[in-house]
Amino acid sequence: MSSLLRKAAKIYQDHGFLDLAYRGSRFLASQILCEVFNIPSRKIGVYNGVSVRKDVLLRPDDVHPSYEKALINQIRNTVETGEKIVVIGGGNGVSTTVAARRAGVSGQVISYEGSEKHVKIVRETTVLNKISDRVTVKHAIVSDAYQLFSEAGTASRIEPSALPECDVIVMDCEGSELDILRNMSVQPRAVIVETHAFLDSPEHKIRKELSKMNYSVVDRGVEDKQAGVYVLSALYNRDGE
């Protein structure tokens, strides 16, 4: 989870209004300069080992080794070679790329992203990282859009019950995770889900729902403790135990 609104809120909370205003003015200034002088407004940054063409030109920090650290660690620890992965919430394409790398050339990833702007970024990221041949990026909202990076545009809407069969499902969907868990019909080997307490999808509710579905949580990562954002990895108990 790394939306512009969340970042702005965190800057305001940690550093105050003046720092938020300063950073915001730098962002706007860089956009104006790029437009006036016809300079490319984006450059390639490295987000937890994944190349993403996203950074504003005047931002000096283009390497982010801890980007989505908890979520990415869970994907790296869970996905196995040859598996089919469904990612709900493509974002900048980092989780999609990491999943595709872990699944290898014999694996497959389907990534759903509801934001019109970010679906293009996800597709571009898969090309930059040379894994586009085994990734399908869909401009679609699964369940309801609680919070998107930008306008949905022509995004289609997919019911959780229509999600395809897969081995691992990754949810970074900004508050939609509870509804998806309650209504999906597939039973993947593993579920990786980011909880959002401030969007009424807190950890205890997610754990309860996973238990009802016969999943056992085997790992837990902390993304943002203050906001109640944790990442849970759960495995399906196929023997019913």
Side-chain angles (χ1 to χ4, degrees):
M1 163 189 164
S2 55
S3 70
L4 189 60
L5 287 176
R6 170 98 72 80
K7 286 182 178 179
K10 186 166 180 56
I11 291 171
Y12 175 78
Q13 184 178 56
D14 293 346
H15 305 286
F17 175 76
L18 290 178
D19 190 66
L20 175 61
Y22 169 70
R23 297 191 192 200
S25 63
R26 284 185 59 196
F27 175 86
L28 291 175
S30 67
Q31 294 293 313
I32 292 170
L33 286 173
C34 289
E35 184 69 25
V36 170
F37 294 103
N38 196 28
I39 302 171
S41 61
R42 296 186 300 146
K43 62 181 178 180
I44 296 177
V46 181
Y47 290 71
N48 207 330
V50 176
S51 298
V52 180
R53 192 185 300 278
K54 182 176 180 291
D55 281 344
V56 177
L57 184 67
L58 296 186
R59 281 188 63 182
D61 55 331
D62 58 352
V63 179
H64 309 269
S66 297
Y67 176 82
E68 297 275 19
K69 183 176 180 180
L71 182 68
I72 299 306
N73 283 348
Q74 303 280 17
I75 294 172
R76 287 177 174 144
N77 292 336
T78 303
V79 175
E80 298 178 357
T81 301
E83 290 194 312
K84 181 176 180 179
I85 319 302
V86 167
V87 176
I88 304 175
N92 294 315
V94 177
S95 57
T96 297
T97 298
V98 172
R101 286 175 175 172
R102 291 294 301 164
V105 294
S106 59
Q108 180 185 0
V109 179
I110 300 176
S111 182
Y112 296 94
E113 172 54 48
S115 160
E116 188 167 52
K117 175 183 176 181
H118 278 264
V119 76
K120 295 176 183 178
I121 294 175
V122 177
R123 287 173 177 151
E124 187 176 37
T125 298
T126 66
V127 173
L128 280 173
N129 292 276
K130 297 180 172 59
I131 45 88
S132 60
D133 58 327
R134 52 187 185 272
V135 175
T136 300
V137 183
K138 295 179 180 278
H139 186 199
I141 297 167
V142 180
S143 183
D144 295 312
Y146 281 77
Q147 182 174 306
L148 294 178
F149 291 102
S150 61
E151 294 297 321
T154 59
S156 58
R157 185 181 184 279
I158 296 176
E159 294 293 339
S161 58
L163 288 170
E165 294 289 338
C166 60
D167 299 293
V168 181
I169 189 165
V170 179
M171 299 184 199
D172 182 10
C173 41
E174 314 301 311
S176 300
E177 49 272 10
L178 262 180
D179 186 65
I180 294 172
L181 288 172
R182 288 168 177 163
N183 294 286
M184 70 184 198
S185 57
V186 295
Q187 291 182 328
R189 173 184 69 81
V191 173
I192 301 172
V193 55
E194 188 173 89
T195 73
H196 301 89
F198 67 102
L199 294 173
D200 199 30
S201 288
E203 180 183 0
H204 72 274
K205 287 186 179 180
I206 298 295
R207 282 181 176 270
K208 184 176 180 180
E209 202 59 42
L210 287 169
S211 180
K212 287 181 182 178
M213 298 166 65
N214 203 27
Y215 282 87
S216 296
V217 175
V218 295
D219 205 351
R220 175 183 185 266
V222 180
E223 197 71 66
D224 187 337
K225 185 176 181 180
Q226 192 166 10
V229 182
Y230 301 96
V231 180
L232 305 178
S233 287
L235 300 180
Y236 184 66
N237 301 311
R238 298 196 180 278
D239 58 3
E241 296 181 359

